[in-house]
Amino acid sequence: MKKHLHLFFTMLKIGLFTFGGGYGMLALLENELVTKKKWLEKEEFIDMVAIAESTPGPLAVNAATYIGYRLHGVLGAVLSTVAVCIPSFVIIYLISLFFDAFLSFAAVAYAFRGIQVAVVYLILSAGWKMLRETEKTPLSVLLFVGVAACMILFSVFSVSFSSVFYILICGAIGLLVYAIGRLRKKEGK
């Protein structure tokens, strides 16, 4: 029971102190789960992010569910998922009670601007760490350069293209390369 409570309060803390959604949460998740608690290895963390990104739902919830399940099975998955969601639910509920009055405060507008800057930093920091720690294979470098180029070009030319499609296309390419490798291995036997 003690280990379940430890997981619950860890995920509650992550949910409480993370702004900017799942991407903003990555740096805190990595620090807490890989560096401090050593619940995951760096490579497993990167794999977890890829899985959490590729499955339906918010990255933060998917990551919490994965970690909880990996550590303590179904009960761990439920506890960590609930824990990471509680702070957001409570904050949004409280804001909804006073929404109109809340938005009229100049201090609130400035606070949100400050939080936006911090979120951009957290996302860039997490992305940079993951990029440095990712195994550099010809496929991963090609996909990274291709996606970065497409994102820049689509932004410059105002082409609307969802990030979900980048993930799906890269996942499909990865599966195709894997399948081709397996076929070649079979033929070589």
PDB file of all heavy atoms in Angstrom, residues 128-143:
ATOM      1  N   TRP A 128      14.776  18.949 -26.664  1.00  0.00           N
ATOM      2  CA  TRP A 128      16.230  18.938 -26.847  1.00  0.00           C
ATOM      3  C   TRP A 128      16.865  17.740 -26.140  1.00  0.00           C
ATOM      4  O   TRP A 128      17.731  17.064 -26.699  1.00  0.00           O
ATOM      5  CB  TRP A 128      16.830  20.244 -26.348  1.00  0.00           C
ATOM      6  CG  TRP A 128      18.308  20.321 -26.563  1.00  0.00           C
ATOM      7  CD1 TRP A 128      19.275  20.249 -25.610  1.00  0.00           C
ATOM      8  CD2 TRP A 128      18.990  20.458 -27.806  1.00  0.00           C
ATOM      9  NE1 TRP A 128      20.512  20.337 -26.182  1.00  0.00           N
ATOM     10  CE2 TRP A 128      20.360  20.472 -27.540  1.00  0.00           C
ATOM     11  CE3 TRP A 128      18.575  20.578 -29.122  1.00  0.00           C
ATOM     12  CZ2 TRP A 128      21.320  20.588 -28.535  1.00  0.00           C
ATOM     13  CZ3 TRP A 128      19.532  20.700 -30.107  1.00  0.00           C
ATOM     14  CH2 TRP A 128      20.880  20.701 -29.809  1.00  0.00           C
ATOM     15  N   LYS A 129      16.441  17.466 -24.913  1.00  0.00           N
ATOM     16  CA  LYS A 129      16.967  16.310 -24.163  1.00  0.00           C
ATOM     17  C   LYS A 129      16.660  15.008 -24.893  1.00  0.00           C
ATOM     18  O   LYS A 129      17.510  14.136 -25.016  1.00  0.00           O
ATOM     19  CB  LYS A 129      16.370  16.245 -22.752  1.00  0.00           C
ATOM     20  CG  LYS A 129      17.006  17.160 -21.765  1.00  0.00           C
ATOM     21  CD  LYS A 129      16.384  16.947 -20.392  1.00  0.00           C
ATOM     22  CE  LYS A 129      16.956  17.900 -19.389  1.00  0.00           C
ATOM     23  NZ  LYS A 129      16.341  17.738 -18.074  1.00  0.00           N
ATOM     24  N   MET A 130      15.420  14.874 -25.358  1.00  0.00           N
ATOM     25  CA  MET A 130      15.041  13.651 -26.063  1.00  0.00           C
ATOM     26  C   MET A 130      15.822  13.504 -27.353  1.00  0.00           C
ATOM     27  O   MET A 130      16.249  12.397 -27.701  1.00  0.00           O
ATOM     28  CB  MET A 130      13.540  13.637 -26.340  1.00  0.00           C
ATOM     29  CG  MET A 130      12.711  13.408 -25.100  1.00  0.00           C
ATOM     30  SD  MET A 130      10.958  13.420 -25.439  1.00  0.00           S
ATOM     31  CE  MET A 130      10.794  12.005 -26.487  1.00  0.00           C
ATOM     32  N   LEU A 131      16.046  14.599 -28.061  1.00  0.00           N
ATOM     33  CA  LEU A 131      16.806  14.546 -29.308  1.00  0.00           C
ATOM     34  C   LEU A 131      18.237  14.102 -29.046  1.00  0.00           C
ATOM     35  O   LEU A 131      18.779  13.260 -29.771  1.00  0.00           O
ATOM     36  CB  LEU A 131      16.789  15.911 -29.993  1.00  0.00           C
ATOM     37  CG  LEU A 131      17.527  16.019 -31.321  1.00  0.00           C
ATOM     38  CD1 LEU A 131      16.884  15.093 -32.349  1.00  0.00           C
ATOM     39  CD2 LEU A 131      17.522  17.446 -31.818  1.00  0.00           C
ATOM     40  N   ARG A 132      18.853  14.628 -27.994  1.00  0.00           N
ATOM     41  CA  ARG A 132      20.232  14.241 -27.660  1.00  0.00           C
ATOM     42  C   ARG A 132      20.336  12.780 -27.274  1.00  0.00           C
ATOM     43  O   ARG A 132      21.339  12.135 -27.536  1.00  0.00           O
ATOM     44  CB  ARG A 132      20.761  15.094 -26.501  1.00  0.00           C
ATOM     45  CG  ARG A 132      21.146  16.478 -26.893  1.00  0.00           C
ATOM     46  CD  ARG A 132      21.892  17.170 -25.787  1.00  0.00           C
ATOM     47  NE  ARG A 132      21.455  16.712 -24.476  1.00  0.00           N
ATOM     48  CZ  ARG A 132      21.326  17.458 -23.411  1.00  0.00           C
ATOM     49  NH1 ARG A 132      21.603  18.723 -23.476  1.00  0.00           N
ATOM     50  NH2 ARG A 132      20.928  16.960 -22.265  1.00  0.00           N
ATOM     51  N   GLU A 133      19.305  12.256 -26.610  1.00  0.00           N
ATOM     52  CA  GLU A 133      19.371  10.901 -26.074  1.00  0.00           C
ATOM     53  C   GLU A 133      18.831   9.842 -27.034  1.00  0.00           C
ATOM     54  O   GLU A 133      18.976   8.658 -26.782  1.00  0.00           O
ATOM     55  CB  GLU A 133      18.609  10.838 -24.750  1.00  0.00           C
ATOM     56  CG  GLU A 133      19.272  11.670 -23.681  1.00  0.00           C
ATOM     57  CD  GLU A 133      18.389  11.917 -22.480  1.00  0.00           C
ATOM     58  OE1 GLU A 133      17.250  11.411 -22.448  1.00  0.00           O
ATOM     59  OE2 GLU A 133      18.830  12.640 -21.576  1.00  0.00           O
ATOM     60  N   THR A 134      18.232  10.270 -28.140  1.00  0.00           N
ATOM     61  CA  THR A 134      17.709   9.322 -29.113  1.00  0.00           C
ATOM     62  C   THR A 134      18.866   8.706 -29.891  1.00  0.00           C
ATOM     63  O   THR A 134      19.809   9.395 -30.269  1.00  0.00           O
ATOM     64  CB  THR A 134      16.749  10.032 -30.093  1.00  0.00           C
ATOM     65  OG1 THR A 134      15.687  10.602 -29.347  1.00  0.00           O
ATOM     66  CG2 THR A 134      16.193   9.074 -31.104  1.00  0.00           C
ATOM     67  N   GLU A 135      18.751   7.405 -30.133  1.00  0.00           N
ATOM     68  CA  GLU A 135      19.775   6.711 -30.927  1.00  0.00           C
ATOM     69  C   GLU A 135      19.768   7.289 -32.336  1.00  0.00           C
ATOM     70  O   GLU A 135      18.731   7.382 -32.986  1.00  0.00           O
ATOM     71  CB  GLU A 135      19.474   5.215 -30.959  1.00  0.00           C
ATOM     72  CG  GLU A 135      20.505   4.408 -31.680  1.00  0.00           C
ATOM     73  CD  GLU A 135      20.150   2.933 -31.734  1.00  0.00           C
ATOM     74  OE1 GLU A 135      19.254   2.497 -30.979  1.00  0.00           O
ATOM     75  OE2 GLU A 135      20.769   2.228 -32.527  1.00  0.00           O
ATOM     76  N   LYS A 136      20.937   7.678 -32.802  1.00  0.00           N
ATOM     77  CA  LYS A 136      21.058   8.301 -34.125  1.00  0.00           C
ATOM     78  C   LYS A 136      21.274   7.220 -35.177  1.00  0.00           C
ATOM     79  O   LYS A 136      22.373   6.774 -35.409  1.00  0.00           O
ATOM     80  CB  LYS A 136      22.232   9.281 -34.164  1.00  0.00           C
ATOM     81  CG  LYS A 136      22.284  10.322 -33.063  1.00  0.00           C
ATOM     82  CD  LYS A 136      21.121  11.245 -33.020  1.00  0.00           C
ATOM     83  CE  LYS A 136      21.267  12.349 -32.020  1.00  0.00           C
ATOM     84  NZ  LYS A 136      21.039  12.059 -30.657  1.00  0.00           N
ATOM     85  N   THR A 137      20.192   6.800 -35.807  1.00  0.00           N
ATOM     86  CA  THR A 137      20.262   5.863 -36.923  1.00  0.00           C
ATOM     87  C   THR A 137      19.943   6.655 -38.183  1.00  0.00           C
ATOM     88  O   THR A 137      19.353   7.748 -38.100  1.00  0.00           O
ATOM     89  CB  THR A 137      19.239   4.721 -36.764  1.00  0.00           C
ATOM     90  OG1 THR A 137      17.919   5.281 -36.809  1.00  0.00           O
ATOM     91  CG2 THR A 137      19.440   3.973 -35.448  1.00  0.00           C
ATOM     92  N   PRO A 138      20.295   6.128 -39.346  1.00  0.00           N
ATOM     93  CA  PRO A 138      19.950   6.857 -40.578  1.00  0.00           C
ATOM     94  C   PRO A 138      18.444   7.146 -40.679  1.00  0.00           C
ATOM     95  O   PRO A 138      18.047   8.229 -41.094  1.00  0.00           O
ATOM     96  CB  PRO A 138      20.417   5.917 -41.693  1.00  0.00           C
ATOM     97  CG  PRO A 138      21.521   5.124 -41.071  1.00  0.00           C
ATOM     98  CD  PRO A 138      21.135   4.953 -39.630  1.00  0.00           C
ATOM     99  N   LEU A 139      17.613   6.175 -40.272  1.00  0.00           N
ATOM    100  CA  LEU A 139      16.171   6.371 -40.323  1.00  0.00           C
ATOM    101  C   LEU A 139      15.712   7.480 -39.385  1.00  0.00           C
ATOM    102  O   LEU A 139      14.938   8.359 -39.776  1.00  0.00           O
ATOM    103  CB  LEU A 139      15.428   5.071 -39.992  1.00  0.00           C
ATOM    104  CG  LEU A 139      13.904   5.178 -39.944  1.00  0.00           C
ATOM    105  CD1 LEU A 139      13.347   5.553 -41.320  1.00  0.00           C
ATOM    106  CD2 LEU A 139      13.290   3.892 -39.437  1.00  0.00           C
ATOM    107  N   SER A 140      16.201   7.477 -38.144  1.00  0.00           N
ATOM    108  CA  SER A 140      15.758   8.491 -37.184  1.00  0.00           C
ATOM    109  C   SER A 140      16.219   9.887 -37.606  1.00  0.00           C
ATOM    110  O   SER A 140      15.471  10.861 -37.475  1.00  0.00           O
ATOM    111  CB  SER A 140      16.236   8.163 -35.772  1.00  0.00           C
ATOM    112  OG  SER A 140      17.642   8.249 -35.671  1.00  0.00           O
ATOM    113  N   VAL A 141      17.429   9.997 -38.142  1.00  0.00           N
ATOM    114  CA  VAL A 141      17.924  11.297 -38.598  1.00  0.00           C
ATOM    115  C   VAL A 141      17.100  11.775 -39.797  1.00  0.00           C
ATOM    116  O   VAL A 141      16.697  12.935 -39.861  1.00  0.00           O
ATOM    117  CB  VAL A 141      19.430  11.216 -38.957  1.00  0.00           C
ATOM    118  CG1 VAL A 141      19.906  12.490 -39.649  1.00  0.00           C
ATOM    119  CG2 VAL A 141      20.256  10.953 -37.702  1.00  0.00           C
ATOM    120  N   LEU A 142      16.836  10.862 -40.741  1.00  0.00           N
ATOM    121  CA  LEU A 142      16.040  11.209 -41.920  1.00  0.00           C
ATOM    122  C   LEU A 142      14.636  11.666 -41.525  1.00  0.00           C
ATOM    123  O   LEU A 142      14.135  12.678 -42.022  1.00  0.00           O
ATOM    124  CB  LEU A 142      15.957  10.011 -42.874  1.00  0.00           C
ATOM    125  CG  LEU A 142      15.154  10.227 -44.152  1.00  0.00           C
ATOM    126  CD1 LEU A 142      15.871  11.225 -45.065  1.00  0.00           C
ATOM    127  CD2 LEU A 142      14.951   8.916 -44.874  1.00  0.00           C
ATOM    128  N   LEU A 143      13.992  10.926 -40.602  1.00  0.00           N
ATOM    129  CA  LEU A 143      12.650  11.306 -40.157  1.00  0.00           C
ATOM    130  C   LEU A 143      12.661  12.651 -39.451  1.00  0.00           C
ATOM    131  O   LEU A 143      11.780  13.493 -39.662  1.00  0.00           O
ATOM    132  CB  LEU A 143      12.057  10.222 -39.264  1.00  0.00           C
ATOM    133  CG  LEU A 143      11.651   8.921 -39.958  1.00  0.00           C
ATOM    134  CD1 LEU A 143      11.176   7.904 -38.937  1.00  0.00           C
ATOM    135  CD2 LEU A 143      10.573   9.174 -40.996  1.00  0.00           C
TER     136      LEU A 143
END
